[in-house]
Amino acid sequence: MIIPLARKILIHDWRRFLPAMFAVALSGVLLLMQTALVFGILGATAVYMRESNAQVWVGYPGTQTIELGRPIPVTAQTALLADPGVARVEPFAWFNGDWQGPPRAGGVSVFVSGVSTEPNALMFSRVLTPAQRALLDQPFTILVDRAELAKLGLPIGGRALLNGRLVKLVGVASGISAFGGVNVVASLATARALDGSSGGAEVEYYVAELKHGANAAAVAARVNREARGYSAWTAASFARNAVLYWMFQTAAGVSAIFLAAVVFVVGAVITSQTLMGAITGSINEYATLHALGVGLRPLRRVVLEQSAWIGACGLVIGVVISLGLLGLAQAQGVPADINLAVWLMCAALVMGIALVSGTAAVRVLRKADPASLLR
Amino acid sequence: MSALLASNLYKSYASGKLRIDVLRGLSIAVEAGRLTLIEGPSGCGKSTLLSILSGLQRPDAGSVTALGQDLWRGDNDAVDRFRLQHTGFVFQGFNLFSALSALEQVMLPLGYMGMTRAEAIDRSQAALVEVGLGDRIDSRPAELSGGEKQRVAIARALAKRPQLLFADEPTSALDAASGQVVIDILRRVAHEHDTTVLCVSHDPRLVSHADRVLGMEDGVILNDRKMQSVSGPEKDGNVS
Ligand SMILES: Nc1ncnc2c1ncn2[C@@H]1O[C@H](COP(=O)(O)OP(=O)(O)OP(=O)(O)O)[C@@H](O)[C@H]1O
Ligand SMILES: [Mg+2]
């Protein structure tokens, strides 16, 4: 087209289109932020995978999330070690504990993690220092996240009953808070002693560090081929399963989708109204073009192109606002988790809002009846 | 051979329970190279006739032969194509995009005709020069007077080099001087480009400059006057 009509109108009447651009941008921001927050909050369920240096996890078959783990046979460890891609294997015990803290602290749901106390252990390798691990070498000692101290009502050095046994809080770490309860980290030996249900040697998980260059998915697939009574996953897929499980278990996913639909509709309504207003304002000009022989199809394309530009501008505005808000969230310690897929999904939804609006607004062009110019 | 031939045109509008018969078996022949004018009392159906002859509105019955083609035989797309190729319009309103300069207004339809940019610029500049706006090609509608806007609208119609040019009350929104300019342009287009110019107007000056005046009343043509034009002596030989 030798005269880019859509763009010319958009630039000349930018004030008229600005509300639509912001509607589209804010729709995108809302979609992005709510997704980031949902993933950020639910991301706590994947803290075990995220903060550990293990690439492959082995647990009870079909386990969706760490809380649903069951003891698995010790043969899992030998099977893992037999794999050519595996460098080392570490047991990891996990169970739901019965916590009796100081009076008036109220009931607290605690999750007990039994981890290796070796200085270079895999579990929580990103958040626990060797010194902190060494503290756990003493029997019946525990660590919790700094943020949980208030919830437990316990100072460092304080004691409480865990599964009926007296334990001592010997330190705090940061980055080990759990989703829906308090994570208590103990040594494997302490965990075994505390866990009444497990019959001694069995643990719920084995985690493996791979040799340099080994592919986690390939190792997991190989282990699964021979697995009896246990199952292997890559750390990434186990983490993803956990987030998705809680997303739909807690209705967070459903409400996120519902809110997304509302945002989509509101954004599309505002944008299409703006476009319709713009078309109506120029309806005689469009009718004149139609009289001069320009078909309705090319005129529709003008409107759709305008909506695409509104989407593109809204996208840019939205990205800027989102980056600002994500920065703010990070500065305030609000959990927000975002990845490329979410960015792309929100971008697609934003363009979808714009194009759906354009398609809706195109109807107004039917009023561009050139015969109405002759009266 | 007439450029525009209509026979037995009928058109009625439903207005609530009432049916208004606007055209009742109207027939008309319009020649190329002349400025033909239709006049008549308000509401007698002049604009309706123009819209049917120009391919903007389908008649209820009757046929229109434009440039030897049965205009209303095809579907709407075919009529759109015919208008794109052959017709220009000048309306009472100027209907210019406020976002475009005079040159761009004129170039816009040419782009849809599949013309190259260079060709469209040449033609548009020539058309703007022809209507006396050669020095205002970069002006937006907001910077133009009413008469200048109407001249841009005329240039937009002329740049297509249409064989058929339709104008509905082109001077009614203009002052005397601007009206005269527009009249001169329409007349010149008819005589110099051999264009069929069909114009609806009450303007007595336009009446006196037309080559032929058709008097319309109540949906039929009542009288047909061939005029001996008072101006443009060099082309008077074309008439009669
Ligand atoms: N779309 C329509 N619906 C209903 N009635 C219409 C419509 N268009 C025109 N009419 C009626 O048809 C009649 C002729 O209208 P038209 O516009 O052709 O008149 P006109 O001769 O151009 O009048 P004027 O000189 O005032 O412009 C009028 O009575 C008008 O009210
Ligand atoms: Mg009229």
Side-chain angles (χ1 to χ4, degrees), chain A residues 2 8 288 290-292, chain B residues 47 83 89 95 104 117 160:
Chain A
I2 58 176
K8 291 264 180 189
T288 303
H290 193 35
L292 288 171
Chain B
S47 298
R83 290 202 311 271
F89 287 91
N95 307 329
E104 290 165 338
R117 189 179 169 78
K160 292 176 74 192

Side-chain angles (χ1 to χ4, degrees), chain B residues 139-161:
Chain B
S139 304
R140 298 247 169 96
E143 304 149 15
L144 295 170
S145 74
E148 287 165 340
K149 278 189 265 204
Q150 188 62 304
R151 281 190 273 159
V152 173
I154 294 176
R156 173 169 64 184
L158 294 185
K160 292 176 74 192
R161 308 229 170 117

Side-chain angles (χ1 to χ4, degrees), chain A residues 67-148:
Chain A
E67 295 80 2
L68 304 176
R70 294 165 55 83
I72 53 172
V74 288
T75 50
Q77 183 170 22
T78 22
L80 266 176
L81 281 169
D83 190 276
V86 172
R88 81 197 149 100
V89 177
E90 192 179 292
F92 172 51
W94 192 98
F95 59 91
N96 230 316
D98 174 36
W99 178 266
Q100 280 176 271
R104 287 190 309 277
V108 184
S109 172
V110 304
F111 310 132
V112 181
S113 292
V115 303
S116 161
T117 54
E118 298 293 321
N120 62 344
L122 299 174
M123 277 311 296
F124 294 127
S125 59
R126 295 184 215 278
V127 283
L128 292 187
T129 62
Q132 284 169 322
R133 274 183 212 279
L135 292 174
L136 296 177
D137 272 332
Q138 281 185 48
F140 298 102
T141 55
I142 59 167
L143 295 172
V144 297
D145 194 279
R146 193 183 309 278
E148 318 279 32

Side-chain angles (χ1 to χ4, degrees), chain A residues 375, chain B residues 47 168-169:
Chain A
R375 276 294 145 85
Chain B
S47 298
D168 192 12
E169 319 259 10

Side-chain angles (χ1 to χ4, degrees), chain A residues 36 43 65 93 100 120 144 156 166 171 183 255 282 323 335 337 344 361:
Chain A
T65 170
Q100 280 176 271
N120 62 344
V144 297
I156 295 177
L166 202 60
N183 239 349
S255 54
S282 296
L323 287 176
D337 189 13
L344 291 179

Side-chain angles (χ1 to χ4, degrees), chain A residues 1-3 5 8-9 12-13 282 284-286 288-299 302 369-371 373-375, chain B residues 47 50-51 56 77 80 83-84 87-89 91 95-100 104 107-109 111-112 115 117 120 140 156 160 168:
Chain A
M1 206 39 36
I2 58 176
I3 300 294
L5 183 61
K8 291 264 180 189
I9 293 177
H12 185 261
D13 296 339
S282 296
N284 283 345
E285 285 83 286
Y286 285 114
T288 303
L289 282 184
H290 193 35
L292 288 171
V294 180
L296 280 180
R297 220 164 296 126
L299 295 182
V302 171
D369 175 16
L373 301 172
L374 293 174
R375 276 294 145 85
Chain B
S47 298
L50 200 69
S51 70
L56 294 183
D77 283 349
D80 283 354
R83 290 202 311 271
L84 187 61
T87 67
F89 287 91
F91 301 109
N95 307 329
L96 301 174
F97 285 99
S98 56
L100 302 186
E104 290 165 338
M107 286 171 67
L108 186 58
Y112 290 101
M115 227 169 268
R117 189 179 169 78
R140 298 247 169 96
R156 173 169 64 184
K160 292 176 74 192
D168 192 12

